[in-house]
Amino acid sequence: MKEKCTAIVLAAGSGKRMGTQVRKQYLDIWGKPVLYYSLKCFEDSRVIDEVILVTGAGEIEYCRDEIVKKYNFTKVCRIVAGGDERYDSVYAGLKNCEDCDYVFIHDGARPFVDEEMIEEALLTVRQCGACVAAVPSKDTVKIVEKDGVIAQTPQRSKVWIVQTPQVFAYPLIRSAYDKMMNLPHDHVTDDAMAVEWMERHPVKVTKGSYYNIKITTPEDMKLAEIFVQEKK
Ligand code: CTP
Ligand code: MG
């Protein structure tokens, strides 16, 4: 029997850097919200069994009626309230997973995830239990101190830009989050960090894409419009 694969799609952020009145996950790209495109890929995926949508406490009804019902996303089995920070929202999702083998944690603000990425990640997670979609950095990255002075330059060939989905064996990520949430964890910005830190378990990079941008600031919306238009 095939393993059960659950996706947690995160849409509980407030989009401060986008700065729009409407939160960025609900902004329109060619007539449909950003979150529609993110959910659609998991809905249509051959390997995903169910989807848990994590949203703001006040947006559950809106998501149910205006996104899940409207676009007939049949794999969305639960819509749950997230928390103040991304890790709080992930933890809410993890606590709502039912007997799944692998969990695909995905930013709702990344509408250009694709099936190839999901399937590659499943192959990798089966072998090693933890992987994240990523692409090699096109730019040189600098570590800069508070005074604005460059302290270090990591070798570019070793620098990867990590994206989502971030995919884990469920017991591994659940254990990492259970431990981490009981310690100071303000610095944690992605799920791989939780596993690296709490479990000392290797996390692999798997195939991401340069299209798989996170909608973060206004110029990202312009790119998103071009990407959707190109697909049409
Ligand atoms: N997210 C979430 N719960 C939070 C914070 C973030 O579910 N408390 C989600 C966002 O909705 C987004 C993803 O995590 O899909 C990545 O976060 P980010 O790009 O930082 O989104 P925001 O936190 O909304 O934006 P900003 O940091 O600019 O406020
Ligand atoms: Mg944020």
Side-chain angles (χ1 to χ4, degrees), residues 58-75:
E59 294 154 13
I60 291 178
E61 229 170 278
Y62 171 82
C63 282
R64 190 191 56 210
D65 296 341
E66 297 303 321
I67 296 181
V68 174
K69 280 191 184 162
K70 181 168 173 181
Y71 298 108
N72 195 28
F73 288 136
T74 57
K75 287 183 187 170

Side-chain angles (χ1 to χ4, degrees), residues 25-117:
Q25 56 273 37
Y26 308 119
L27 291 175
D28 207 273
I29 313 172
W30 292 102
K32 296 191 176 88
V34 168
L35 185 56
Y36 159 86
Y37 297 94
S38 319
L39 288 171
K40 177 75 174 154
C41 184
F42 290 96
E43 176 74 20
D44 292 345
S45 171
R46 283 194 295 252
V47 304
I48 298 298
D49 298 293
E50 60 181 35
V51 176
I52 296 173
L53 174 58
V54 185
T55 186
E59 294 154 13
I60 291 178
E61 229 170 278
Y62 171 82
C63 282
R64 190 191 56 210
D65 296 341
E66 297 303 321
I67 296 181
V68 174
K69 280 191 184 162
K70 181 168 173 181
Y71 298 108
N72 195 28
F73 288 136
T74 57
K75 287 183 187 170
V76 177
C77 60
R78 238 155 293 154
I79 306 174
V80 304
D84 288 345
E85 300 297 334
R86 185 181 179 282
Y87 44 70
D88 298 310
S89 299
V90 172
Y91 200 39
L94 288 173
K95 286 191 283 194
N96 274 281
C97 288
E98 256 171 30
D99 50 62
C100 70
D101 298 296
Y102 298 117
V103 60
F104 290 63
I105 301 173
H106 184 66
D107 295 332
R110 288 188 194 271
F112 304 111
V113 51
D114 63 46
E115 176 69 9
E116 194 185 344
M117 223 180 282

